[in-house]
């Protein structure tokens, strides 16, 4: 059984999840479910990055203990993932014992490799992004990432010799090109690395809310350095157990804004610690809302839970994958969501299933025939697209097949047929519906289950996505989707 280990970012808790978090987590869920359907042994991890100055300050403002503050937030996030049907196998919190206890082991390895030294950091710091910023990176004197005011810091600090890893990193990218995915984002990273790497400050002056630096508790481990370790501590590292089974990760799915941490700092630290490097870091794009950048001040932050309650969880999941390729930016609007629900989920899929089951229910002959509709189905290609994380491309192919099935109904006009001729058409359509119910499962789990129950078939795997004998017991149920009126 092939092992497959995928992670979302360990999200920095800051309010409730927005559409960007939801879309990345849904994408990781779709990928995980697809691999399970292939029969792979999947481990799917999400979690929360909880330490740092930002959370400490937020807790202080609310007059709360930082632990109590993040405990509350984590509950909200877990509930959100539950309501979006996210099938994660483990949720790692960086304030958990299993994580905190492992951090000194990792730093000891970097130290043993001669990669840690004490120095003095002078530069800028963005508390919002928990990021060090150089003079040249400033944009109009503000943080280049979030545009907020930055703080001048002059502090004693421990450093990691990132500068030493320039050639090794370039070697890694050359040897494993798909480590930097999608490929069109690779040059950005490579060029920056070629331009030279500065050593990285890996501590902050002692924060109450953080992990003390081993051997010098006047310092706290820089939140980014320990957060990335969560991908390993969730597997029980430094113990072997699950870590031995699932490491290195197959995919770290990350936002493009944190690609640098995952494709430069993280592999360099792993090389220093003599730990295998993950196979792929995939940077996903961002969502705008109604053509505008999402922000609290504009007031256009989309609450994924509200939207999925209003329009249906599966419709929301479908839209996020269908609307744009995972790596690219895209725009969210309720108008576009409604258009896809009415034009695709209702008119294509819902209509197909309803028509086919209505005919099948009235038919009392044998549902048998010769496969002909399956010539439009290329399951190998769809699987290959999914393995490349082209979820958009795969769903597009699946949808082309749904539309072919509708075209087949219109062309054959089964309402004019009877006997074996009708049995043959129904056989093809029911097999098409059964295969579609399997293929859409990772994208729309509840709709898939509803289809299976109406078709009277059991759970299927990827290997079942080919026409055989239809042995379901079809029984028309309610519409899969209902039209959204304006
Ligand atoms: Zn910032």
């Amino acid at each position: 059984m092939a092992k497959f280990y995928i992670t979302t970012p360990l999200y920095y808790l800051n309010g409730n999840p927005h559409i960007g978090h939801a879309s990345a987590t849904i994408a990781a869920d779709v990928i995980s479910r697809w691999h399970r359907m292939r029969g792979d042994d999947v481990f799917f991890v999400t979690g929360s990055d909880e330490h740092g100055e930002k959370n400490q300050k937020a807790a202080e403002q609310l007059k709360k203990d930082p632990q109590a503050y993040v405990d509350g937030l984590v509950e909200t996030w877990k509930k959100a993932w539950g309501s979006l049907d996210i099938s994660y196998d483990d949720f790692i919190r960086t304030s958990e014992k299993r994580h905190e206890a492992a951090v000194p082991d990792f730093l000891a390895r970097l130290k043993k490799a001669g990669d840690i030294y004490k120095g003095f950091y002078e530069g800028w710091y963005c508390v919002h992004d928990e990021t060090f910023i150089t003079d040249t990176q400033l944009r109009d004197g503000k943080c280049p990432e979030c545009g907020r005011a930055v703080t001048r810091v002059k502090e004693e600090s421990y450093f990691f010799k990132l500068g030493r890893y320039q050639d090794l990193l370039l070697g890694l990218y050359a040897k494993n090109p798909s480590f930097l995915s999608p490929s069109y984002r690779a040059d950005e990273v490579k060029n920056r690395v070629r331009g030279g790497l500065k050593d990285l400050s890996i501590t902050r002056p002692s924060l109450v809310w953080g992990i003390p630096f081993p051997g010098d508790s006047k310092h706290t481990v820089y939140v980014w350095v320990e957060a990335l370790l969560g991908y390993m501590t969730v597997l029980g590292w430094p113990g072997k157990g699950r870590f031995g089974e699932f490491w290195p990760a197959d995919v770290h799915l990350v936002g493009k804004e944190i690609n640098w941490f995952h494709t430069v700092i993280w592999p360099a630290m792993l090389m220093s610690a003599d730990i295998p490097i993950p196979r792929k870091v995939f940077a996903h794009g961002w969502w705008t809302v109604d053509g505008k950048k999402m922000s609290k001040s504009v007031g256009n932050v989309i609450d994924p839970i509200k939207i999925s309650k209003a329009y249906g969880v599966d419709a929301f999941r479908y839209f996020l994958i269908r609307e744009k390729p995972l790596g690219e930016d895209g725009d969210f609007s309720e108008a576009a969501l409604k258009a896809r629900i009415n034009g695709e989920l209702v008119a294509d899929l819902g209509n197909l299933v309803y028509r086919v089951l209505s005919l099948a229910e009235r038919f009392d002959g044998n549902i048998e025939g010769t496969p002909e509709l399956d010539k439009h189905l290329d399951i190998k290609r769809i699987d290959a697209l999914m393995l490349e994380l082209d979820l958009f491309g795969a769903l597009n192919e699946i949808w082309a097949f749904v539309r072919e099935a509708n075209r087949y109904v219109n062309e054959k006009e089964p309402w004019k047929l009877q006997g074996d001729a009708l049995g043959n058409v129904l056989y093809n359509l029911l097999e098409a519906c059964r295969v579609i119910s399997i293929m859409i499962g990772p994208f729309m789990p509840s709709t898939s289950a509803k289809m299976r129950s109406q078709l009277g078939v059991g759970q299927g795997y990827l290997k079942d996505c080919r026409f055989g004998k239809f042995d379901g017991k079809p029984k028309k149920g309610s519409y899969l989707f209902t039209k959204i009126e304006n």
Side-chain angles (χ1 to χ4, degrees):
M1 211 190 232
K3 303 274 179 194
F4 184 76
Y5 177 30
I6 182 169
T7 66
T8 71
L10 306 186
Y11 298 111
Y12 202 109
L13 301 179
N14 177 32
N16 299 343
H18 60 58
I19 188 176
H21 304 119
S23 123
T25 309
I26 286 169
D29 184 65
V30 171
I31 298 163
S32 298
R33 287 176 186 266
W34 189 271
H35 276 267
R36 289 190 199 112
M37 205 165 84
R38 306 177 89 245
D40 296 347
D41 187 6
V42 173
F43 203 66
F44 167 24
V45 165
T46 188
S48 51
D49 169 9
E50 303 186 356
H51 293 121
E53 195 174 342
K54 183 166 62 170
N55 277 344
Q56 185 177 314
K57 283 188 167 162
E60 276 164 12
Q61 273 187 356
L62 296 168
K63 298 196 166 49
K64 271 189 176 174
D65 168 62
Q67 185 71 57
Y69 170 71
V70 293
D71 284 353
L73 284 173
V74 161
E75 279 321 299
T76 311
W77 283 62
K78 283 187 173 173
K79 233 168 105 186
W81 297 155
S83 68
L84 293 174
D85 256 340
I86 304 300
S87 62
Y88 61 80
D89 296 295
D90 205 342
F91 188 108
I92 180 79
R93 300 182 54 185
T94 58
S95 69
E96 284 178 81
K97 269 278 154 301
R98 60 174 172 161
H99 177 77
E100 290 183 341
V103 172
D105 285 67
F106 188 76
L107 291 168
R109 282 175 171 244
L110 307 195
K111 199 173 168 196
K112 202 174 149 206
D115 282 338
I116 290 183
Y117 65 92
K118 197 174 184 178
F120 194 80
Y121 177 79
E122 182 167 3
W124 303 96
Y125 193 77
C126 171
V127 175
H128 177 80
D129 293 315
E130 300 280 5
T131 307
F132 296 100
I133 297 158
T134 62
D135 288 316
T136 51
Q137 284 173 327
L138 285 182
R139 199 174 291 157
D140 302 325
K142 302 255 167 78
C143 168
E145 204 57 66
C146 70
R148 288 176 173 79
V150 287
T151 321
R152 186 72 185 174
V153 278
K154 268 174 103 169
E155 58 197 34
E156 191 187 69
S157 175
Y158 287 88
F159 284 82
F160 169 64
K161 288 184 185 169
L162 182 62
R164 254 171 78 166
Y165 288 88
Q166 183 182 21
D167 288 341
L168 286 166
L169 286 167
L170 292 171
L172 164 72
Y173 309 150
K175 210 176 119 196
N176 177 13
S178 68
F179 177 75
L180 300 175
S181 290
S183 55
Y184 52 81
R185 284 205 206 290
D187 282 345
E188 199 183 309
V189 175
K190 283 191 231 170
N191 290 340
R192 245 180 102 181
V193 172
R194 279 194 203 104
L197 292 171
K198 282 208 174 118
D199 289 348
L200 176 77
S201 169
I202 55 164
T203 58
R204 303 286 334 270
S206 189
L207 295 170
V208 186
W209 185 232
I211 299 178
F213 191 68
D216 191 348
S217 58
K218 287 207 303 287
H219 297 266
T220 306
V221 181
Y222 175 40
V223 65
W224 268 106
V225 168
E226 52 117 336
L228 294 172
L229 266 181
Y231 302 135
M232 290 173 18
T233 58
V234 70
L235 298 174
W237 187 87
K240 291 250 183 319
R242 262 188 175 156
F243 183 77
E245 259 179 80
F246 285 100
W247 194 263
D250 293 278
V251 180
H252 286 319
L253 185 60
V254 304
K256 61 180 178 177
E257 73 286 1
I258 55 172
N259 204 23
W260 180 257
F261 290 96
H262 286 82
T263 55
V264 178
I265 295 170
W266 180 226
M269 290 197 304
L270 289 171
M271 285 177 196
S272 173
D274 195 22
I275 291 168
I277 313 289
R279 298 196 171 91
K280 188 194 289 284
V281 175
F282 190 100
H284 67 74
W286 291 346
W287 289 94
T288 51
V289 174
D290 297 316
K292 293 195 193 77
K293 197 179 164 192
M294 216 173 9
S295 86
K296 278 183 190 159
S297 51
V298 178
N300 63 346
V301 176
I302 292 289
D303 177 349
I305 305 309
K306 258 193 210 154
I307 290 286
S308 62
K309 271 195 185 129
Y311 295 95
V313 172
D314 277 7
F316 181 60
R317 290 172 60 111
Y318 172 83
F319 177 85
L320 293 177
I321 305 294
R322 178 90 167 133
E323 187 69 8
K324 73 171 183 71
L326 188 55
E328 289 173 25
D329 294 344
D331 187 57
F332 178 88
S333 72
E334 286 191 47
L337 173 59
K338 280 181 203 167
R340 290 218 183 261
I341 292 174
N342 289 344
E344 297 172 9
L345 296 178
V346 174
D348 294 335
L349 182 60
N351 188 31
L352 172 72
V353 173
Y354 196 80
R355 287 207 286 182
V356 171
L357 289 175
S358 303
L359 287 161
E361 215 173 45
R362 269 178 281 152
F363 182 63
D364 56 7
N366 289 327
I367 296 178
E368 282 174 0
T370 317
E372 47 193 20
L373 188 47
D374 61 345
K375 66 170 184 274
H376 299 288
L377 175 69
D378 188 348
I379 192 71
K380 271 207 177 118
R381 177 170 157 71
I382 294 170
D383 186 39
L385 290 167
M386 286 301 292
L387 298 188
E388 286 166 24
L389 308 189
D390 185 357
L391 281 55
F392 174 83
L395 190 52
N396 198 32
E397 294 277 324
I398 294 170
W399 223 254
F401 184 63
V402 172
R403 287 175 174 166
E404 279 303 333
N406 269 319
R407 201 165 298 142
Y408 182 82
V409 179
N410 296 342
E411 180 194 301
K412 297 286 177 186
E413 301 184 306
W415 48 91
K416 290 183 184 166
L417 302 175
Q418 47 193 320
D420 289 350
L422 179 54
N424 180 58
V425 170
L426 281 175
Y427 160 76
N428 274 282
L429 288 168
L430 286 164
E431 275 296 86
C433 286
R434 181 185 62 78
V435 170
I436 290 166
S437 79
I438 299 172
M439 293 190 298
I440 64 163
F443 302 87
M444 297 187 281
S446 314
T447 305
S448 167
K450 198 166 170 189
M451 271 180 83
R452 288 200 307 272
S453 119
Q454 295 187 358
L455 292 163
V457 297
Q459 172 120 35
Y461 288 85
L462 195 67
K463 65 177 170 47
D464 306 312
C465 287
R466 65 170 101 94
F467 282 26
K469 181 180 170 346
F470 182 78
D471 56 6
K473 290 187 176 49
K475 193 172 182 305
K476 193 178 73 186
S478 58
Y479 286 103
L480 295 179
F481 297 95
T482 42
K483 198 169 172 212
I484 313 276
E485 305 294 345
N486 272 320

